[in-house]
Amino acid sequence: MTRDDILQIIAEKNINFFRLQFVDIFGFMKNIAIPLSQIEKALDGKIMFDGSSIEGFVRVNESDMYLKPDYDTFTILPWRDQKGTNAARIICDVHNADETPFIGCPRQNLKRMLAEAKNMGFTMNVGSECEFFLFKRDEKGQPTTITDDVAGYFDTDPGDSGTNCRRKIIQTLEAMGFEIEASHHEVAEGQHEINFKYADALTAADNTVTFKWVVRTIAAEFGLHATFMPKPVFGISGSGMHTNQSLFTLDGKNAFFDEKAKYQLRDTAIRYIAGICKHAKGFCAVTNPLVNSYKRLVAGFEAPVYIAWSTSNRSVLVRIPAPRGMSTRTEVRNPDPACNPYLAFAAMLGAGLDGIANNLEAPAPTNADLYEMSVREMEEAGIESLPADLHEALENLKASAVMKKSLGPHIFNKYVEGKEREWDAYRTAITDWEIRNYLYNY
């Protein structure tokens, strides 16, 4: 896509409004809407905004920042067609006032890590699987955790009451250029999954934030609230974002596949897995960023709790899906859809590259059901657990030199500061559970 291509589409499709989008360090999508008269200025990267108002960006005296558009992310917004007047969006990188790349921009940071991978001879492909819930709204339009959906895994309508909403989401995504591979009802009531094709890591991160935006937008049209909160309801499965990732050589060959090797996995794959396992505690605060994230990472609901890998076992942190050849990949199962995908992909890539660069040895694969193993069996096998809460995850993040390198010092420090505030707010809050259990008895 070129500047001229975009201007031609704008004229042909009668686009009168344009959204310049970016994300803050916590993954929240932000945008500036501009009219037709400002589009050429926007395409030239000359639109400025106040960066001091964005979480984790800059101080007031450094506030002027530019939005530099990535032309390949231009797309028309299908739901904004109003009597022939259309709107479009484009994703931007954030730059400083002197037009140098801003080190606190999550998208720029992922580009930096991908450049490091390229220097080592690799490109990265990613396929994210974002699960979500569809809930009713109350009479005031506020979200609830109520659903009239009674379906389970792979069930059909009428039990799956979200079918029509899911179909409209798919149609919207396809109109925006997504290649949808499958969709289905998930395990829990009201829970859904839509799978779209993998892409290079940067495009995959762009697609993930776009996917979440579209899901929430279309759900609202149906009077529903879509949430990517990891564990909205006690006692049922939470929502994960299993992240399939693979490295390719610069000449286009899968760097993880070796037909003659054990498990048909090249040493590169084993060392990548070793890096993921070694640094999982360190990146957990990034891939699982909320207090609520750790209500999902408990035994019994198919979410990983233990740091292990396998070629088939779904109770482990890293699974190797069955396809081989160009499809050989690792599936890291702990991330959840509340994460900032730009940071999560950068953190996992940094962990894997460290494993390759330092020839780390992966532990032996674990084929037993980890949920059935005793504590003693775990200790004998050398299997450790993921952090039990956000505080523990943050302590591991702060201790990780690899994660500081993967996020860059600006994002690393701002991210830790923000999440420590979040933990402290939770730690000092009085919960409904405490009132129910303590108020009368004590």
Side-chain angles (χ1 to χ4, degrees), residues 10-204:
I10 287 171
E12 291 176 352
K13 301 297 184 180
N14 195 29
I15 294 171
N16 282 273
F17 291 94
F18 203 62
R19 294 191 184 193
L20 305 178
Q21 296 181 335
F22 61 102
V23 300
D24 67 15
I25 64 171
F26 300 119
F28 290 110
M29 181 179 282
K30 307 293 183 180
N31 75 205
I32 296 174
I34 62 170
L36 179 63
S37 62
Q38 300 298 307
I39 284 178
E40 291 199 43
K41 181 179 178 181
L43 292 177
D44 292 335
K46 298 300 181 182
I47 298 293
M48 300 194 81
F49 73 102
D50 178 8
S52 66
S53 299
I54 304 301
E55 183 73 46
F57 272 25
V58 292
R59 296 168 295 184
V60 172
N61 62 333
E62 305 167 320
S63 60
D64 291 336
M65 310 192 86
Y66 283 107
L67 292 174
K68 301 289 185 179
D70 182 338
Y71 295 158
D72 288 336
T73 65
F74 172 86
T75 186
I76 296 173
L77 307 180
W79 65 89
R80 298 297 297 168
D81 185 357
Q82 298 177 350
K83 297 181 180 180
T85 299
N86 292 313
R89 78 90 198 263
I90 197 164
I91 296 176
C92 300
D93 293 318
V94 180
H95 285 241
N96 299 308
D98 62 2
E99 304 202 25
T100 57
F102 172 49
I103 59 173
C105 171
R107 196 171 189 269
Q108 297 271 31
N109 183 71
L110 178 55
K111 284 184 173 182
R112 179 181 64 82
M113 288 303 298
L114 291 171
E116 181 173 321
K118 188 174 182 180
N119 287 337
M120 293 176 63
F122 303 113
T123 60
M124 183 192 198
N125 284 343
V126 174
S128 60
E129 303 171 8
C130 287
E131 297 168 341
F132 60 95
F133 281 85
L134 292 174
F135 290 129
K136 290 184 175 182
R137 296 176 182 267
D138 63 20
E139 63 277 2
K140 296 181 179 180
Q142 296 302 306
T144 71
T145 55
I146 300 169
T147 175
D148 57 9
D149 180 303
V150 296
Y153 198 53
F154 280 14
D155 280 355
T156 62
D157 44 11
D160 178 3
S161 62
T163 299
N164 290 335
C165 179
R166 206 166 64 232
R167 182 182 299 119
K168 179 66 178 295
I169 291 169
I170 291 169
Q171 291 170 340
T172 303
L173 290 168
E174 287 182 328
M176 296 175 73
F178 279 67
E179 182 176 337
I180 303 299
E181 295 183 331
S183 73
H184 60 87
H185 196 284
E186 260 296 339
V187 174
E189 295 177 356
Q191 189 181 32
H192 305 268
E193 182 175 319
I194 298 172
N195 297 325
F196 47 92
K197 189 176 181 181
Y198 72 89
D200 66 90
L202 184 65
T203 301

Side-chain angles (χ1 to χ4, degrees), residues 197-254:
K197 189 176 181 181
Y198 72 89
D200 66 90
L202 184 65
T203 301
D206 291 339
N207 287 345
T208 301
V209 295
T210 300
F211 173 81
K212 293 197 287 185
W213 178 43
V214 170
V215 168
R216 292 171 68 92
T217 298
I218 301 304
E221 290 185 2
F222 282 78
L224 299 170
H225 175 70
T227 181
F228 293 92
M229 180 179 175
K231 187 81 168 185
V233 180
F234 171 75
I236 63 176
S237 296
S239 292
M241 190 186 81
H242 300 162
T243 305
N244 294 271
Q245 46 201 284
S246 58
L247 298 183
F248 277 69
T249 59
L250 300 184
D251 59 357
K253 296 178 181 178
N254 189 308

